[in-house]
Amino acid sequence: MRPSRAAYPMRWRVMDSLERIAGLLWPRSFSAGLPYLMLLPALLLVGVLVWGLVEIGDSSLRTLDTSTFLMSENYTLANYQRALNERFFTTVAGRSLMGSLIVTVITLVFAFPYSYLMVRTPSSALRKFLLVALFLPFFIGQVVRAYGWLIILGNQGMVNEALGLVGVSPIRLLYNYPAVLFGLVQYMLPFAVLMLAPAMTAIPAELESAASSLGANWISTFRHIVLPLSKPGLVGAGLVVFTLSLTDFAIPAILGGGSQDFIANAIYDQFFRTSDQGMGATLSLLLVAVGSILVGLVFMVFGAGTLAMGGDRK
Amino acid sequence: MSNEKFLSAQIKRRTLLQSMAAVGAAAGASTLGLNRAFAQEPEKPAEIIVRAWGGSWVDALKAGVSDSFTKATGIAVRHDLTEDNEIQPKVWAAVAQKRVPPIHINWDTTTNATKSALRGVTEDLSDLPNLKNTTELSKPVGLDGYPIVNTYGYVYVLAFRPEAFPNGAPKSWKDLLDPKLKGRIALYNDGIGFHFPAQVAGGGKLEDIPGNMQPAWDFITKIKAQQPLLGEDPDFTTWFQRGEIDAACTISTNAREAKKNGISIDWVVPEEGAKFDTDGLWIPKGLPENELYWAKQYINHALTKEAQQVWLDGLGLPGVVPGLTPPADLVGDPSYPTTDEDFKHLIRISTKVQVENESQWFAKFKEIMQG
């Protein structure tokens, strides 16, 4: 008896064919290797980055010959000695690290209540408003935002004009270290909120209700419930804000008035202003190393589990 | 048959246009120095890419050189506004990897261009016919042949807002140390243009450059206490316009452009002198033969009196072809030197010395300013 076509439809046959082809290309005996195959694109990407780092490492060991503007053939640690001994580089590195730390702390302080309100508010209108206010800056690039601050905070800007109305003469609000930190905090705030919000969403609201019903006031609840359970978000947001601030170029360049350089500005100068690719490569590698060590330290102190990446939570 | 009818019959519109085009092309070709038979000319590229500075700089180049080159040859000119410092590594990498470079012609500072020449990435331009009509200024000092052709000179003047100097224009770079100017002065962010006058203002001698520049660093340290703003060409105009600064060490072209835009600004060459330098045009190695030919023709055209006059009227700078007429507003201006007497007040340091020491000077300036 001829089998009914409806009993074994065409699309099943197609699927069977595809399965057979897949079986030929990747036999069942290889199934244990499937996760590694899925890793391949990521490995390739990381491989390209590592290859780039190796090239940069090679450049960092060569010095610039200013009679030919070619890199030296022989390897030397001269660039590293300069980077660690010259006052300009140590000043800029210190300013970048300290600035990133200050920006991270201030940003987290501002981002925490914002995230908490956004997650806990019963008003959907307020939540939407906070979300829009959060995402709007993402549509405006960093450079445009920095130029916006030039218009607002300049000597003839809106703030000084407002001060002028009450008889205060113009104040220099731009082109100094606080202006750079201010610009960075404003730029980093959305990143921190976006990292904190999921961690706060994961805290059951019932825990806070239970604490309250057991007599804990708002401060105790915050200290013993909300803050400890927000740790994964705080650590993640802190890492993102710190590393982005440490490597930022545009805000120090635009709001710093040329005298508040961060490491990225110094790297740019070496590559493009003095044509010294070796020194630029050295500073780049040192920046990667310092950033990686600090991230590693955070993982050691707080544990990778704080970022909900598995492992033991501490 | 009347004359009128005869003319209308013989000279049709298309014929007239063709004739005019032919005359125009012939005149243009003559201007370009293209006296070879057209049959011998290599194939024309669709366009030539010239790296240029933006704003009034590229407008002047377009009006003076590019448009007339296109009119004469039919080759379009595209201006690539990538920063000079940023195009340099791209060109160097292209030449090292034997790729076709991203531009045909680089409009560059002579110091930067000399670095490229020392690296061996520039084509020799000694065979440009119009070079014979230029002054000594067109020849790069300390290099064999013409890996670069200097096309004009410029002065780093002391630009100032007259309202901030009610007792008259500043006479010395030391006037920048006036306490009332604290936070109100600006320099280039690598100190370019300021190192040499600072050497004199600091009590040193130009002959001691580069061996002993301590007087310059001492003076720059004093300037640092004045909390100067540090920026690039466009920043100076913006800062003057927004009332952020009262004085700056900048190229006279920027000050003149700001003045044209209605900003109250004037400039002087202080008693210690002001740095005089040159810019030039060069061609990177690795271009196809025909494109190299036409790139050379572009530079050759830039050295004609007609092109120089229009180009440099726009920039307000003295060219390398004798007999150019200064713009009316710059006649007798110290930033537009034309005589030996004018040059006595300007500071010229050999390009070789500058190229070899520039990195150290930039680093020292940064060290002082970032401290």
Side-chain angles (χ1 to χ4, degrees):
Chain A
M1 183 180 158
R2 194 177 170 187
S4 160
R5 287 180 68 84
Y8 206 79
M10 176 57 77
R11 63 175 177 272
W12 290 15
R13 293 172 201 276
V14 171
M15 293 304 292
D16 285 348
S17 306
L18 289 174
E19 262 189 26
R20 275 196 293 276
I21 293 168
L24 285 172
L25 293 173
W26 194 262
R28 283 185 184 281
S29 54
F30 289 4
S31 59
L34 193 60
Y36 298 100
L37 185 70
M38 305 290 271
L39 271 177
L40 198 59
L43 287 174
L44 279 174
L45 185 63
V46 172
V48 170
L49 290 174
V50 169
W51 182 27
L53 277 176
V54 169
E55 288 286 321
I56 290 175
D58 181 85
S59 295
S60 75
L61 296 170
R62 299 174 191 274
T63 52
L64 180 70
D65 179 353
T66 55
S67 63
T68 61
F69 276 85
L70 293 167
M71 304 307 289
S72 63
E73 290 294 324
N74 55 320
Y75 288 128
T76 169
L77 291 171
N79 289 328
Y80 288 92
Q81 284 174 337
R82 275 187 66 198
L84 297 173
N85 293 323
E86 283 190 14
R87 194 156 61 94
F88 165 61
F89 296 121
T90 51
T91 302
V92 168
R95 177 187 296 138
S96 308
L97 285 165
M98 184 52 71
S100 305
L101 194 64
I102 295 169
V103 167
T104 304
V105 171
I106 295 174
T107 306
L108 290 182
V109 167
F110 282 125
F112 199 91
Y114 193 105
S115 308
Y116 186 80
L117 184 63
M118 198 171 74
V119 168
R120 286 287 187 260
T121 180
S123 163
S124 70
L126 178 60
R127 185 177 298 112
K128 282 173 188 164
F129 170 76
L130 291 173
L131 274 171
V132 169
L134 181 69
F135 278 105
L136 206 56
F138 277 116
F139 300 126
I140 307 166
Q142 188 187 15
V143 173
V144 177
R145 263 193 277 175
Y147 275 106
W149 287 120
L150 293 185
I151 294 167
I152 293 168
L153 299 176
N155 268 18
Q156 296 174 350
M158 289 160 61
V159 173
N160 270 314
E161 277 189 10
L163 290 172
L165 293 176
V166 292
V168 178
S169 54
I171 303 168
R172 171 53 58 79
L173 300 169
L174 287 170
Y175 312 126
N176 48 41
Y177 197 41
V180 173
L181 300 185
F182 173 80
L184 281 171
V185 168
Q186 195 267 341
Y187 176 59
M188 297 298 166
L189 197 60
F191 291 102
V193 173
L194 281 179
M195 295 291 289
L196 272 171
M200 289 191 169
T201 309
I203 304 170
E206 294 80 4
L207 280 179
E208 291 171 63
S209 303
S212 180
S213 66
L214 289 171
N217 60 19
W218 187 86
I219 295 171
S220 294
T221 306
F222 174 77
R223 189 177 158 203
H224 295 293
I225 306 287
V226 180
L227 197 58
L229 291 177
S230 301
K231 198 171 76 173
L234 283 169
V235 172
L239 280 177
V240 167
V241 171
F242 185 83
T243 48
L244 286 180
S245 301
L246 188 64
T247 54
D248 199 74
F249 174 85
I251 299 279
I254 296 169
L255 298 183
S259 59
Q260 305 297 332
D261 284 359
F262 273 31
I263 300 175
N265 307 97
I267 292 170
Y268 175 91
D269 282 347
Q270 294 305 320
F271 274 114
F272 297 110
R273 208 175 291 282
T274 60
S275 313
D276 192 345
Q277 294 180 17
M279 195 64 211
T282 303
L283 294 177
S284 304
L285 274 190
L286 288 175
L287 178 59
V288 171
V290 168
S292 303
I293 288 168
L294 288 171
V295 171
L297 281 174
V298 169
F299 280 157
M300 278 176 65
V301 172
F302 295 102
T306 53
L307 296 179
M309 291 193 295
D312 297 330
R313 279 179 179 251
K314 289 184 180 175
Chain B
M1 194 190 318
S2 70
N3 283 345
E4 189 180 343
K5 201 167 183 181
F6 174 78
L7 281 172
S8 68
Q10 297 299 314
I11 306 176
K12 292 178 180 166
R13 184 172 171 274
R14 180 172 292 180
T15 313
L16 179 66
L17 287 174
Q18 282 173 344
S19 306
M20 285 171 67
V23 169
S30 170
T31 304
L32 284 167
L34 309 180
N35 295 324
R36 300 181 197 182
F38 279 104
Q40 292 176 335
E41 283 175 351
E43 183 191 353
K44 289 179 181 176
E47 65 172 9
I48 275 188
I49 305 169
V50 181
R51 193 222 70 84
W53 290 285
S56 58
W57 294 81
V58 71
D59 291 344
L61 181 75
K62 183 174 183 299
V65 187
S66 301
D67 285 351
S68 47
F69 178 79
T70 300
K71 192 176 172 189
T73 63
I75 299 171
V77 178
R78 178 149 61 94
H79 300 106
D80 180 335
L81 302 185
T82 306
E83 265 296 308
D84 52 345
N85 294 322
E86 291 173 11
I87 202 74
Q88 188 186 64
K90 291 180 184 175
V91 171
W92 287 8
V95 175
Q97 294 161 9
K98 300 192 187 306
R99 287 186 284 114
V100 175
I103 53 170
H104 292 91
I105 294 155
N106 198 3
W107 182 14
D108 208 352
T109 64
T110 299
T111 307
N112 250 352
T114 302
K115 292 179 188 175
S116 295
L118 290 171
R119 198 178 159 103
V121 303
T122 55
E123 290 282 0
D124 181 39
L125 303 172
S126 305
D127 57 349
L128 297 185
N130 287 340
L131 273 177
K132 66 178 185 298
N133 303 324
T134 60
T135 63
E136 269 298 299
L137 198 61
S138 67
K139 173 85 175 78
V141 181
L143 294 170
D144 295 331
Y146 281 85
I148 315 149
V149 173
N150 295 330
T151 46
Y152 56 83
Y154 55 93
V155 181
Y156 289 89
V157 294
L158 171 51
F160 62 96
R161 285 195 323 118
E163 294 83 5
F165 294 85
N167 298 325
K171 292 182 172 57
S172 162
W173 291 103
K174 291 175 196 162
D175 290 346
L176 296 179
L177 299 174
D178 188 331
K180 75 177 182 187
L181 293 177
K182 190 165 188 174
R184 305 283 306 166
I185 60 175
L187 305 172
Y188 283 98
N189 52 18
D190 47 19
I192 196 162
F194 195 65
H195 300 123
F196 308 146
Q199 172 82 354
V200 182
K205 294 176 183 170
L206 293 174
E207 303 86 81
D208 290 342
I209 295 173
N212 174 23
M213 291 191 59
Q214 195 52 44
W217 308 133
D218 291 342
F219 186 71
I220 289 169
T221 304
K222 288 180 189 169
I223 289 286
K224 157 71 178 169
Q226 289 287 79
Q227 299 174 357
L229 301 188
L230 306 172
E232 304 274 359
D233 283 327
D235 296 322
F236 294 104
T237 310
T238 308
W239 289 336
F240 271 120
Q241 198 155 11
R242 293 190 180 152
E244 300 281 353
I245 57 171
D246 292 326
C249 170
T250 186
I251 295 173
S252 58
T253 303
N254 298 323
R256 184 170 176 250
E257 188 59 23
K259 195 171 190 174
K260 278 184 185 173
N261 291 341
I263 301 171
S264 172
I265 191 171
D266 212 338
W267 56 87
V268 291
V269 170
E271 60 194 19
E272 294 91 351
K275 185 188 176 190
F276 178 85
D277 216 330
T278 50
D279 285 346
L281 300 171
W282 60 275
I283 300 173
K285 283 184 175 171
L287 290 174
E289 276 300 315
N290 66 318
E291 295 180 24
L292 171 62
Y293 173 85
W294 288 107
K296 282 187 173 183
Q297 294 309 319
Y298 181 92
I299 297 180
N300 195 45
H301 176 56
L303 297 175
T304 58
K305 192 175 173 185
E306 295 78 11
Q308 285 252 307
Q309 185 68 62
V310 179
W311 182 17
L312 301 177
D313 271 358
L315 297 179
L317 298 173
V320 295
V321 176
L324 296 177
T325 310
D329 60 318
L330 293 176
V331 174
D333 193 294
S335 71
Y336 194 101
T338 50
T339 63
D340 288 344
E341 182 60 28
D342 293 336
F343 277 99
K344 277 183 188 166
H345 302 291
L346 300 175
I347 302 170
R348 288 193 78 183
I349 300 293
S350 116
T351 307
K352 183 172 180 290
V353 170
Q354 290 192 58
V355 165
E356 287 178 352
N357 295 279
E358 194 184 64
S359 300
Q360 293 165 37
W361 296 340
F362 285 0
K364 185 67 184 175
F365 183 86
K366 287 264 178 187
E367 181 184 313
I368 294 169
M369 288 298 168
Q370 298 287 334

